[in-house]
Amino acid sequence: VLSFDQGPGATTGRLLDVLSRRNVPALFHVSSESFRNSTWRNYIQRAAYEGHNIGIFVPELGSSLLDSHTGQTDSDMVLTQRIARTSNWISAVTGRQPRHVRFGARSVPINTKRMMEAMGLQLTKPKIDIKDDSNKIDAIWSSINKAF
């Protein structure tokens, strides 16, 4: 499964065409900003319709101020609200609840990981090493390059 962050964008339509021709599944991580643009919403809807998964992308984590009553930090509360809002938008556009979340930060605090698990979300991390014995990935990237 290929995964993409911080989209969709201007080239997403062509990317979806290539993935469809090659029958390659993908996971698109999108932020709440994606839903402000109707073209991008349509790409998200199309990706889900074509069988791709739509996950949540969180560009950054905020600062932390501990609330002595709840035990949560200010950023935990804001993060939970952001995740819930993005999840609701993804559900409204695709008809499916997202199951994955990815953070733009290099490291994610353990309490944040636990919060995501409690919300039923699997934390995904970018991988730079790709093992593909069939060389299918080379053909996919070649097709993507030709499309652009």
Side-chain angles (χ1 to χ4, degrees), residues 9 12 16 26 32 37 52 55 63 66 69 79 82 84 93 109 124 134:
T12 301
L16 287 170
S32 59
N37 180 308
H52 303 292
S63 61
L66 188 64
H69 298 292
L79 177 61
R82 182 191 291 181
V93 169
T124 58
S134 68

Side-chain angles (χ1 to χ4, degrees), residues 11 16-17 23 36 42 44-45 51 58 74 83-85 96 105-106 117-118 124 134 140 145:
T11 57
L16 287 170
D17 293 342
N23 198 31
R36 295 182 183 185
N42 290 338
I44 293 166
Q45 190 172 36
V58 180
D74 186 41
I83 297 282
R85 182 176 60 239
R96 295 185 293 200
R106 288 200 178 269
E117 290 171 1
T124 58
S134 68
I140 295 164
N145 286 327

Side-chain angles (χ1 to χ4, degrees), residues 113-144:
K113 290 177 183 178
R114 288 183 183 136
M115 274 186 358
M116 296 305 102
E117 290 171 1
M119 295 174 80
L121 294 167
Q122 178 183 351
L123 184 66
T124 58
K125 295 184 265 187
K127 294 184 179 177
I128 50 176
D129 60 319
I130 298 172
K131 182 177 181 192
D132 180 39
D133 297 331
S134 68
N135 292 321
K136 187 175 183 182
I137 196 72
D138 291 334
I140 295 164
W141 283 121
S142 176
S143 295
I144 290 170

Side-chain angles (χ1 to χ4, degrees), residues 3-4 26-27 34 36 42 48 52-54 62 68 71-73 79 88 93 102 110-111 122-123 138 142:
S3 68
F4 300 91
L27 170 57
S34 303
R36 295 182 183 185
N42 290 338
H52 303 292
N53 287 309
I54 309 299
S68 60
Q72 286 188 306
T73 64
L79 177 61
N88 289 339
V93 169
R102 179 171 298 160
I110 191 71
N111 66 320
Q122 178 183 351
L123 184 66
D138 291 334
S142 176

Side-chain angles (χ1 to χ4, degrees), residues 36-80:
R36 295 182 183 185
N37 180 308
S38 62
T39 301
W40 292 0
R41 275 194 311 275
N42 290 338
Y43 286 148
I44 293 166
Q45 190 172 36
R46 176 184 167 193
Y49 177 78
E50 292 178 0
H52 303 292
N53 287 309
I54 309 299
I56 299 167
F57 181 75
V58 180
E60 69 219 24
L61 296 173
S63 61
S64 300
L65 298 172
L66 188 64
D67 182 320
S68 60
H69 298 292
T70 66
Q72 286 188 306
T73 64
D74 186 41
S75 61
D76 289 345
M77 290 178 236
V78 170
L79 177 61
T80 301

